[in-house]
Amino acid sequence: MPKGYVIMTEAIRDEAGMAAYGKASAASMAEAGARVRVVDPSPHVLEGEWHGDRTVVVEFASVEAARAWYESAGYQEARPLRQAAAVTNAVIVAGFEPPARTTGQEDSR
């Protein structure tokens, strides 16, 4: 089962409000087994336009675990703090798992 990732781009309007959100959301993230993988205030944009001034990537055991965290009562209490402090785009995506090689496959090179 592939891992699930929550990716948020944030246009922060209130740094203190975002700090309060971080504290308020920490317990729900720990409970969900989440691991923050990226917090980047200045991603290098290769093409197109990128929203916000910070990008955050949070890893979960699965897409279902990410969705359960996002919909959890603990996170729903913290979410309004983020919404008041930043304009955010958020998605849940599935990680990539390459197909398993079957035993006996020969290298075609």
Side-chain angles (χ1 to χ4, degrees):
M1 175 183 316
K3 293 187 184 256
Y5 296 87
V6 172
I7 303 171
M8 295 183 176
T9 59
E10 303 167 332
I12 299 169
R13 300 181 296 210
D14 175 6
E15 289 288 344
M18 286 303 287
Y21 160 73
K23 289 178 184 175
S25 64
S28 68
M29 291 179 70
E31 187 175 298
R35 298 182 69 176
V36 177
R37 294 299 194 185
V38 175
V39 177
D40 191 341
S42 57
H44 182 87
V45 178
L46 298 174
E47 294 183 28
E49 295 183 29
W50 197 253
H51 166 263
D53 46 24
R54 180 165 67 191
T55 299
V56 178
V57 178
V58 183
E59 180 184 80
F60 294 84
S62 66
V63 167
E64 293 77 14
R67 188 172 293 113
W69 164 76
Y70 186 82
E71 295 171 355
S72 71
Y75 185 67
Q76 292 305 306
E77 289 179 19
R79 190 172 142 213
L81 296 172
R82 177 183 48 78
Q83 291 174 324
V87 174
T88 304
N89 290 335
V91 296
I92 295 175
V93 297
F96 175 74
E97 287 188 351
R101 289 183 63 154
T102 58
T103 308
Q105 264 187 334
E106 294 183 27
D107 193 344
S108 61
R109 287 188 253 175

